[in-house]
Amino acid sequence: MFAVDKVLLIVGLLWVAGILSSKISARVGLPVLVVFVGVGMLAGSEGPGGIAFENYTLAHGIGTVALAIILFDGGLRTSLASIRLTLAPALSLATVGVVLTAGITGLAASYILGIPPLMGLLLGSIIGSTDAAAVFAALRSAGLHLPERLGRMLEVESASNDPMAIFLTVGLLGVLLGQEALGPGLLLLFVQQMVIGGLVGLLLARGTVFLINRAELGAAGLYPILATAAAILTFGVAANLGGSGFLAVYVAGIVLGNSGLVFERGILLFHDGAAWLAQITMFVLLGLLSFPSRLLDVTGPAILVALVLMFVARPIAVGLILLPFRFSAREIVFTSWAGLKGAVPIVLGIYPLLSGVPDAQLIFNVVFFVSLIAAATQGWSLPPLARALGLQREVAPEPPVSLEISSLKHVDADIVAFPVEDGDRIAGKRVRELALPQDAVIAMITRGSRVIPPRGSTRIKTGDHVFFVLTRGVRPLVEHLFVRAGEDQEPSLADLEFPLRGDTRLRDLADFYDVPVSPGDEETTLDELLRGRLGERLAPGRGVDLGAVKLRVDTLLDGRVERVAVVVRGEA
């Protein structure tokens, strides 16, 4: 048997064991990432598996690739809407918050472990960031959904704070090795890393979007691979130019994820799996690298460091930063506790071992304990804490099936599934009664486990999921059908123009878009109204005013108005 055959056997067994164990962990409430560490420890040199692995150089190489993939996937799933809504507090937590957390934890670690302050700060920097995948995996497993502003702030903060933790770790290692000096030089290095990394990520991502949408590769499976290759190239270009490769891939992910890519769903699914594989690999690797016999001596001090991180450093940093942004005390408490650790501390914990700084093994052992304790205690307790604080938001169940457009060319269309809730404008209506814009059509309705082909007589009921094929421009109009009239979250239709069929009744226009209708005109169609009001002046471009709404003839067919442009000039 070749050496690689044995390696593949071991790797395959570890992956399968880790993934299958995650099913058990979900049932008992144990965070899945802790299970992966346990699998690695059982397979390690001091476990039943007996696999001797202490190659930190190889672990660093695997970790760097894994971390780049995780950050790229995080960027793909970070919406511009989330960034706009929570930019200031999220980025403050991702930068100043990480520095404060690392500083407080590091000084405490220096005292607890009896190591120099710089070594303590290095330890604090390694464990100072929060992992988005771990936070939202814990919440999704319990079926909880946070208030929009809080959820999006946590999403952006936890996805974007890794570059700061990486910079602090690399910078302090440079100081300890005499390659950098504290002060202006380190600040200049930070600016250089961030600026070059951000610019490279932005520019190469723009080029990648152009390439993906115009390459016409012919094989759908090549598009996710092209995106991955572009991410790795982005990392390499940024790193070789003196920038942060990790920031570059995160920025590239944001740009790609918000650009409307060809085969977008396939790309997202591929990278979701790749990110999970990277997380599994890193936590199993941490278990393999750990030696329980070496950990016993640091158990007590490591627990104290973890307690300082969870109950002192993170709460102080979060409180100081979020109070000016008018977050409630409940939201601050929850954000303080949502400091779960992911793959980043594992990768960064290897850096001191490779650099040969004093107490490197001690730091790695403490990182192991702190990551494990944070994941084990905070992971399972996040959902009950959200309930206790009254922050949970009920979400509609997922539809039993999915429908998607699979195109190897860029198309201006989406398939969107909307849950029907009690009181929605659309609830109880028949399909033929819906005043849908002409660029939107119902493709499928699911009711429980049943798939219902839509017909004109089909009545839409509360609890259904309605699948629309629509162009992106009319999505706000379709969303308008799924809220109660007058609600605060009702999307505004001001300054919009959208097409409707000429046989749409004024009653439907009033029901769905709040257009005022004169008594007795409810059953009049738009075609009848326009022909009656315009008479001989009936022609494309001609219109009539109905208060804040103007109806304009768009298309005529055999003297009848086939298509009408509805222009909303103010709040309808």
Side-chain angles (χ1 to χ4, degrees), residues 270-294:
F270 176 87
H271 286 95
D272 181 53
W276 267 111
L277 183 61
Q279 291 263 25
I280 293 169
T281 300
M282 288 314 305
F283 273 82
V284 172
L285 196 61
L286 175 62
L288 285 173
L289 288 171
S290 66
F291 290 81
S293 60
R294 300 178 186 175

Side-chain angles (χ1 to χ4, degrees), residues 86-132:
T86 63
L87 180 63
L91 291 189
S92 296
L93 278 178
T95 52
V96 180
V98 172
V99 174
L100 288 174
T101 303
I104 296 171
T105 306
L107 294 177
S110 174
Y111 175 77
I112 293 169
L113 299 173
I115 57 178
L118 276 179
M119 291 298 297
L121 291 174
L122 175 62
L123 174 58
S125 301
I126 291 173
I127 58 178
S129 64
T130 299
D131 183 72

Side-chain angles (χ1 to χ4, degrees), residues 62-72 162 166 246 278 343-344 347-348:
I62 295 173
T64 299
V65 175
L67 186 51
I69 291 172
I70 292 167
L71 286 173
F72 183 62
D162 293 336
I166 295 166
F246 296 107
V344 177
V347 179
L348 298 185

Side-chain angles (χ1 to χ4, degrees), residues 118-155:
L118 276 179
M119 291 298 297
L121 291 174
L122 175 62
L123 174 58
S125 301
I126 291 173
I127 58 178
S129 64
T130 299
D131 183 72
V135 172
F136 287 97
L139 294 174
R140 281 195 299 268
S141 66
L144 290 179
H145 189 70
L146 296 174
E148 183 181 24
R149 186 176 182 230
L150 175 62
R152 290 192 172 186
M153 188 273 296
L154 274 175
E155 171 192 343

Side-chain angles (χ1 to χ4, degrees), residues 112 165 261 300 352 358 501:
I112 293 169
L261 299 175
R501 299 186 309 274

Side-chain angles (χ1 to χ4, degrees), residues 426 431 434 436 440-445 452-454 460 466-469:
I426 198 172
V431 170
L434 304 180
L436 294 178
V441 64
I442 296 178
M444 181 175 69
I445 300 172
I452 300 174
I460 297 170
V466 184
F467 289 76
F468 282 86
V469 178

Side-chain angles (χ1 to χ4, degrees), residues 48 182 344 400 402 448 475 495 523 535 561:
L182 284 173
V344 177
S402 64
R475 180 163 179 168
D495 302 319
E523 300 303 318
V561 181

